Amino acid sequence: MTIQTFRQISAYNLKTFRRNYVSEISGSLGDLGTFLPIAIALAVNGTISLSSTLIFSGIFNILTGLFFGIPLPVQPMKAIAAVAISRSFNNGTIAAAGIFVGICIFLFSITGLLRWFADVIPIPVIKGIQVGAGLSLVIASCGNILSSLGWVQPSWADNRIWAIAAFIFLIITNVYRRVPYALIVFILGLIFATITSALAADLPSIAFWHPYTVVPTPHQWSVGALDAGIGQIPLTTLNSVVAVVHLAGDLLPNIQRLSVTSIGLSVAGMNLIGCWFGAMPVCHGSGGLAAQYRFGARSGSSVIFLGALKLLIGIFFGESLVGLLKRFPSALLGVMVIAAGLELVSVGESLNTTGARDIMKASFGILGDARQEIGPMLSDEDRKRRWTVMMVTVGLLVGFRNDAIGFLAGMLCHVGYELPGLWEKVRRRWNEGRVRLE
C-alpha cells in the first residue's frame, strides 16, 4: 500500500464517520452476535484470555479499518472454536490450532495459491458458499440460541417475547434502514445485563490487563493442529478470504477492491501474533461483513470505533466482564445473528444479473461500463445451470455443516455441466489438426 492510498482511505473513513456516525457506530456492533457467544464460551472454560482477546481483536479491528477502509470484521475461527468448546481445550492447544492455521494461510498467500484459488472458483460456487453461510447462521441462531427460550424463561430480560419484539423491530428497520437497529438492541441488552448482574452482585470491576505468553507443548501442537486446525483451513480459505473479497465487491463496489493476498496475509498475521498471548484465533468473515453492512457500516471507521472500544474495555476490565457478558440476553443476540444471516443470503439474488462479477466482467468489454443494464447476458439454460450449481453448494454445505463439502459438491456440479462443451472443443481441435496434416 502506498502513502497516497493510505491517505485516501483515511480521508474516506473520516468523511463517512462525520456524515453518518450513528450508522457507523450501529454497524460496528453488527457482528457481536457471533463474537460474544463464542468468546464467552471459550473464556468461561479458561481456553482463552478474554482480556487478551478483546485487546488483540481491538488492535486488529483498528488496523483493518485503517488499511482496508471497509467494515471488515474480526471474528472467531468457528471450526476451531467448536472443537475447543466440545473438548474443553486448554489455552496452549487452541493457541497451537490458531498459529497452525496462520502459518498455512501465510504460505498460501506468499506463494500465490490463494490468488489462483480465487481465480478458478466459479461465481455460482462462491455465491453458494455465501448463501450457505448465511443460512447456517440463521439455523444456528434458531436451533442453538433461540429454541431454548420459553415465553418467560430463563428470565424477565431474556425470553421468547423479547425475541419476537426484536424480530418485529428488525422487520420494521428493513423498511426504515436509517434506524440504528444494532445500536438500539445492543444498548437495551447491555442495560438488561447490567441490571441482572447487579441483582446477582456480579458487576465488572477494574482489573488491569496482565499480559502473558502461551507456548504450546509438542502434544498441544499435535492435538491443536490435527484435531482443530486442519478442519479450519478450508473454512478460512473459502469464507474468510475468497468469499469476503467477492462480497466486499458486491456490497461496496465504489471502494477499491480488496486483494485476496492482502486479506490472506491479514488473517495470517492476526493469528501469528495474538494466539501467543492467549487470544482467541480470529479471521475475517463474509457473515460479519454482511452483518456490519446491514446495520449501517460503510467504511473502516466503524471497525476502528469498535476496536478502540474493545481495547479500552480489555485493558481496564478484562476477565471481570465474563459475568456481565454471560447475562447479555440470548433473545437479542439470536435475532442479531438472524439479521446477519439474512443479509448474507440476499447476495445470492444477483447470481444471474449484471451484479454478478463474471457477468459484469463480460459486459465491461461490450459497453465500457459494467454497471449498465444490457439486457439478458445468459440464456434460460445458463441461468438454470448457474442456479443449480449455487443451490447444490448451499444444500450440501448446510446439510453437512461443512464448507469444504459444499464447495466440492458445487465444483463437481459445475464441472459436470462444463464437460460436454470441453469434449466438443477437444474434438473440434483434434479434427482441425487432422485436416491440417492432410
Side-chain angles (χ1 to χ4, degrees), residues 118-119 123 246 257 353-371 374 377:
D119 290 340
I123 291 298
H246 283 266
R257 187 181 176 188
T353 70
T354 51
R357 190 170 300 281
D358 53 347
I359 301 177
M360 187 181 293
K361 187 181 295 184
S363 66
F364 186 83
I366 298 173
L367 294 174
D369 184 354
R371 296 181 181 83
I374 61 174
M377 291 290 297

mmCIF file of all heavy atoms in Angstrom, residues 118-119 123 246 257 353-371 374 377:
data_model
loop_
_atom_site.group_PDB
_atom_site.id
_atom_site.type_symbol
_atom_site.label_atom_id
_atom_site.label_comp_id
_atom_site.label_asym_id
_atom_site.label_seq_id
_atom_site.Cartn_x
_atom_site.Cartn_y
_atom_site.Cartn_z
ATOM 1 N N ALA A 118 -8.775 -18.268 -5.897
ATOM 2 C CA ALA A 118 -9.876 -17.324 -6.071
ATOM 3 C C ALA A 118 -10.239 -17.150 -7.546
ATOM 4 O O ALA A 118 -11.408 -16.969 -7.892
ATOM 5 C CB ALA A 118 -9.506 -15.977 -5.470
ATOM 6 N N ASP A 119 -9.244 -17.225 -8.430
ATOM 7 C CA ASP A 119 -9.489 -17.023 -9.862
ATOM 8 C C ASP A 119 -10.219 -18.197 -10.508
ATOM 9 O O ASP A 119 -10.966 -18.011 -11.468
ATOM 10 C CB ASP A 119 -8.160 -16.784 -10.601
ATOM 11 C CG ASP A 119 -7.547 -15.424 -10.263
ATOM 12 O OD1 ASP A 119 -8.294 -14.539 -9.798
ATOM 13 O OD2 ASP A 119 -6.324 -15.265 -10.449
ATOM 14 N N ILE A 123 -18.255 -18.238 -10.022
ATOM 15 C CA ILE A 123 -19.092 -17.338 -9.220
ATOM 16 C C ILE A 123 -20.281 -18.065 -8.578
ATOM 17 O O ILE A 123 -20.596 -17.819 -7.402
ATOM 18 C CB ILE A 123 -19.579 -16.156 -10.083
ATOM 19 C CG1 ILE A 123 -18.403 -15.236 -10.425
ATOM 20 C CG2 ILE A 123 -20.656 -15.351 -9.341
ATOM 21 C CD1 ILE A 123 -17.744 -14.593 -9.219
ATOM 22 N N HIS A 246 -15.127 -11.202 -2.592
ATOM 23 C CA HIS A 246 -16.224 -11.036 -3.550
ATOM 24 C C HIS A 246 -17.408 -10.289 -2.928
ATOM 25 O O HIS A 246 -18.030 -9.455 -3.593
ATOM 26 C CB HIS A 246 -16.675 -12.404 -4.053
ATOM 27 C CG HIS A 246 -15.757 -12.991 -5.081
ATOM 28 N ND1 HIS A 246 -15.952 -12.840 -6.436
ATOM 29 C CD2 HIS A 246 -14.616 -13.708 -4.956
ATOM 30 C CE1 HIS A 246 -14.996 -13.443 -7.104
ATOM 31 N NE2 HIS A 246 -14.165 -13.984 -6.222
ATOM 32 N N ARG A 257 -11.128 -2.379 -4.719
ATOM 33 C CA ARG A 257 -11.338 -3.801 -4.489
ATOM 34 C C ARG A 257 -10.231 -4.394 -3.620
ATOM 35 O O ARG A 257 -9.058 -4.073 -3.779
ATOM 36 C CB ARG A 257 -11.393 -4.542 -5.822
ATOM 37 C CG ARG A 257 -11.782 -6.004 -5.653
ATOM 38 C CD ARG A 257 -11.815 -6.726 -6.973
ATOM 39 N NE ARG A 257 -12.102 -8.145 -6.780
ATOM 40 C CZ ARG A 257 -12.037 -9.046 -7.745
ATOM 41 N NH1 ARG A 257 -11.684 -8.676 -8.953
ATOM 42 N NH2 ARG A 257 -12.317 -10.316 -7.497
ATOM 43 N N THR A 353 -27.676 -11.786 -12.709
ATOM 44 C CA THR A 353 -27.847 -10.416 -13.184
ATOM 45 C C THR A 353 -26.477 -9.813 -13.427
ATOM 46 O O THR A 353 -25.446 -10.420 -13.162
ATOM 47 C CB THR A 353 -28.593 -9.562 -12.142
ATOM 48 O OG1 THR A 353 -27.731 -9.346 -11.012
ATOM 49 C CG2 THR A 353 -29.863 -10.248 -11.673
ATOM 50 N N THR A 354 -26.462 -8.574 -13.909
ATOM 51 C CA THR A 354 -25.184 -7.900 -14.150
ATOM 52 C C THR A 354 -24.484 -7.546 -12.855
ATOM 53 O O THR A 354 -23.381 -7.001 -12.871
ATOM 54 C CB THR A 354 -25.396 -6.612 -14.970
ATOM 55 O OG1 THR A 354 -26.421 -5.827 -14.354
ATOM 56 C CG2 THR A 354 -25.783 -6.951 -16.389
ATOM 57 N N GLY A 355 -25.112 -7.856 -11.693
ATOM 58 C CA GLY A 355 -24.427 -7.678 -10.425
ATOM 59 C C GLY A 355 -23.417 -8.773 -10.148
ATOM 60 O O GLY A 355 -22.540 -8.619 -9.297
ATOM 61 N N ALA A 356 -23.537 -9.907 -10.857
ATOM 62 C CA ALA A 356 -22.569 -10.983 -10.680
ATOM 63 C C ALA A 356 -21.250 -10.591 -11.326
ATOM 64 O O ALA A 356 -21.225 -10.053 -12.432
ATOM 65 C CB ALA A 356 -23.102 -12.267 -11.296
ATOM 66 N N ARG A 357 -20.147 -10.892 -10.650
ATOM 67 C CA ARG A 357 -18.848 -10.396 -11.090
ATOM 68 C C ARG A 357 -18.443 -10.936 -12.456
ATOM 69 O O ARG A 357 -17.869 -10.218 -13.268
ATOM 70 C CB ARG A 357 -17.786 -10.742 -10.043
ATOM 71 C CG ARG A 357 -16.457 -10.082 -10.285
ATOM 72 C CD ARG A 357 -15.554 -10.279 -9.092
ATOM 73 N NE ARG A 357 -16.136 -9.693 -7.895
ATOM 74 C CZ ARG A 357 -16.100 -8.405 -7.613
ATOM 75 N NH1 ARG A 357 -15.510 -7.569 -8.434
ATOM 76 N NH2 ARG A 357 -16.647 -7.956 -6.512
ATOM 77 N N ASP A 358 -18.728 -12.197 -12.759
ATOM 78 C CA ASP A 358 -18.319 -12.745 -14.051
ATOM 79 C C ASP A 358 -19.140 -12.162 -15.192
ATOM 80 O O ASP A 358 -18.628 -11.892 -16.270
ATOM 81 C CB ASP A 358 -18.388 -14.275 -14.043
ATOM 82 C CG ASP A 358 -19.743 -14.810 -13.595
ATOM 83 O OD1 ASP A 358 -20.548 -14.019 -13.066
ATOM 84 O OD2 ASP A 358 -19.992 -16.019 -13.778
ATOM 85 N N ILE A 359 -20.442 -11.914 -14.954
ATOM 86 C CA ILE A 359 -21.282 -11.286 -15.978
ATOM 87 C C ILE A 359 -20.886 -9.828 -16.148
ATOM 88 O O ILE A 359 -20.830 -9.293 -17.252
ATOM 89 C CB ILE A 359 -22.771 -11.403 -15.608
ATOM 90 C CG1 ILE A 359 -23.160 -12.865 -15.457
ATOM 91 C CG2 ILE A 359 -23.636 -10.731 -16.654
ATOM 92 C CD1 ILE A 359 -24.582 -13.079 -15.024
ATOM 93 N N MET A 360 -20.567 -9.180 -15.028
ATOM 94 C CA MET A 360 -20.130 -7.796 -15.071
ATOM 95 C C MET A 360 -18.859 -7.663 -15.901
ATOM 96 O O MET A 360 -18.694 -6.753 -16.714
ATOM 97 C CB MET A 360 -19.886 -7.275 -13.649
ATOM 98 C CG MET A 360 -19.591 -5.795 -13.550
ATOM 99 S SD MET A 360 -19.280 -5.288 -11.845
ATOM 100 C CE MET A 360 -20.892 -5.526 -11.124
ATOM 101 N N LYS A 361 -17.937 -8.611 -15.716
ATOM 102 C CA LYS A 361 -16.671 -8.582 -16.442
ATOM 103 C C LYS A 361 -16.916 -8.761 -17.938
ATOM 104 O O LYS A 361 -16.305 -8.125 -18.783
ATOM 105 C CB LYS A 361 -15.747 -9.678 -15.926
ATOM 106 C CG LYS A 361 -14.333 -9.637 -16.500
ATOM 107 C CD LYS A 361 -13.493 -10.772 -15.945
ATOM 108 C CE LYS A 361 -13.286 -10.636 -14.457
ATOM 109 N NZ LYS A 361 -12.388 -11.688 -13.919
ATOM 110 N N ALA A 362 -17.860 -9.646 -18.280
ATOM 111 C CA ALA A 362 -18.166 -9.877 -19.685
ATOM 112 C C ALA A 362 -18.809 -8.653 -20.326
ATOM 113 O O ALA A 362 -18.516 -8.301 -21.468
ATOM 114 C CB ALA A 362 -19.094 -11.087 -19.820
ATOM 115 N N SER A 363 -19.686 -7.982 -19.577
ATOM 116 C CA SER A 363 -20.371 -6.814 -20.120
ATOM 117 C C SER A 363 -19.460 -5.604 -20.206
ATOM 118 O O SER A 363 -19.698 -4.688 -20.979
ATOM 119 C CB SER A 363 -21.598 -6.481 -19.265
ATOM 120 O OG SER A 363 -21.196 -6.071 -17.972
ATOM 121 N N PHE A 364 -18.387 -5.586 -19.430
ATOM 122 C CA PHE A 364 -17.489 -4.436 -19.410
ATOM 123 C C PHE A 364 -16.870 -4.203 -20.787
ATOM 124 O O PHE A 364 -16.752 -3.079 -21.252
ATOM 125 C CB PHE A 364 -16.381 -4.665 -18.372
ATOM 126 C CG PHE A 364 -15.491 -3.465 -18.172
ATOM 127 C CD1 PHE A 364 -15.877 -2.456 -17.330
ATOM 128 C CD2 PHE A 364 -14.289 -3.355 -18.838
ATOM 129 C CE1 PHE A 364 -15.073 -1.356 -17.126
ATOM 130 C CE2 PHE A 364 -13.477 -2.258 -18.658
ATOM 131 C CZ PHE A 364 -13.871 -1.253 -17.800
ATOM 132 N N GLY A 365 -16.499 -5.296 -21.435
ATOM 133 C CA GLY A 365 -15.871 -5.150 -22.737
ATOM 134 C C GLY A 365 -16.846 -4.719 -23.806
ATOM 135 O O GLY A 365 -16.454 -4.182 -24.836
ATOM 136 N N ILE A 366 -18.143 -4.938 -23.592
ATOM 137 C CA ILE A 366 -19.141 -4.587 -24.588
ATOM 138 C C ILE A 366 -19.537 -3.117 -24.482
ATOM 139 O O ILE A 366 -19.615 -2.387 -25.466
ATOM 140 C CB ILE A 366 -20.388 -5.474 -24.422
ATOM 141 C CG1 ILE A 366 -19.993 -6.936 -24.642
ATOM 142 C CG2 ILE A 366 -21.482 -5.061 -25.370
ATOM 143 C CD1 ILE A 366 -21.110 -7.913 -24.342
ATOM 144 N N LEU A 367 -19.752 -2.661 -23.272
ATOM 145 C CA LEU A 367 -20.292 -1.324 -23.074
ATOM 146 C C LEU A 367 -19.302 -0.329 -22.511
ATOM 147 O O LEU A 367 -19.532 0.870 -22.571
ATOM 148 C CB LEU A 367 -21.504 -1.390 -22.137
ATOM 149 C CG LEU A 367 -22.727 -2.134 -22.690
ATOM 150 C CD1 LEU A 367 -23.767 -2.253 -21.608
ATOM 151 C CD2 LEU A 367 -23.284 -1.426 -23.893
ATOM 152 N N GLY A 368 -18.235 -0.811 -21.897
ATOM 153 C CA GLY A 368 -17.296 0.091 -21.249
ATOM 154 C C GLY A 368 -17.744 0.508 -19.876
ATOM 155 O O GLY A 368 -17.082 1.263 -19.208
ATOM 156 N N ASP A 369 -18.912 0.027 -19.461
ATOM 157 C CA ASP A 369 -19.413 0.338 -18.120
ATOM 158 C C ASP A 369 -20.136 -0.892 -17.600
ATOM 159 O O ASP A 369 -21.220 -1.234 -18.042
ATOM 160 C CB ASP A 369 -20.373 1.529 -18.160
ATOM 161 C CG ASP A 369 -20.825 1.934 -16.764
ATOM 162 O OD1 ASP A 369 -20.481 1.224 -15.797
ATOM 163 O OD2 ASP A 369 -21.520 2.957 -16.656
ATOM 164 N N ALA A 370 -19.505 -1.536 -16.632
ATOM 165 C CA ALA A 370 -20.035 -2.812 -16.142
ATOM 166 C C ALA A 370 -21.367 -2.662 -15.450
ATOM 167 O O ALA A 370 -22.063 -3.640 -15.248
ATOM 168 C CB ALA A 370 -19.023 -3.456 -15.191
ATOM 169 N N ARG A 371 -21.758 -1.466 -15.065
ATOM 170 C CA ARG A 371 -22.980 -1.307 -14.283
ATOM 171 C C ARG A 371 -24.185 -0.931 -15.146
ATOM 172 O O ARG A 371 -25.257 -0.712 -14.636
ATOM 173 C CB ARG A 371 -22.777 -0.262 -13.187
ATOM 174 C CG ARG A 371 -21.735 -0.688 -12.181
ATOM 175 C CD ARG A 371 -21.570 0.360 -11.080
ATOM 176 N NE ARG A 371 -20.563 -0.061 -10.149
ATOM 177 C CZ ARG A 371 -19.263 0.104 -10.315
ATOM 178 N NH1 ARG A 371 -18.812 0.694 -11.388
ATOM 179 N NH2 ARG A 371 -18.396 -0.331 -9.407
ATOM 180 N N ILE A 374 -27.745 -4.182 -19.809
ATOM 181 C CA ILE A 374 -27.533 -4.566 -21.206
ATOM 182 C C ILE A 374 -28.489 -5.676 -21.624
ATOM 183 O O ILE A 374 -28.294 -6.310 -22.657
ATOM 184 C CB ILE A 374 -26.082 -5.030 -21.414
ATOM 185 C CG1 ILE A 374 -25.787 -6.238 -20.536
ATOM 186 C CG2 ILE A 374 -25.106 -3.918 -21.142
ATOM 187 C CD1 ILE A 374 -24.428 -6.826 -20.786
ATOM 188 N N MET A 377 -27.761 -11.401 -20.361
ATOM 189 C CA MET A 377 -26.464 -11.878 -20.830
ATOM 190 C C MET A 377 -26.447 -13.398 -20.916
ATOM 191 O O MET A 377 -25.537 -13.978 -21.491
ATOM 192 C CB MET A 377 -25.368 -11.429 -19.866
ATOM 193 C CG MET A 377 -25.101 -9.949 -19.856
ATOM 194 S SD MET A 377 -24.311 -9.409 -21.360
ATOM 195 C CE MET A 377 -22.762 -10.311 -21.288
#
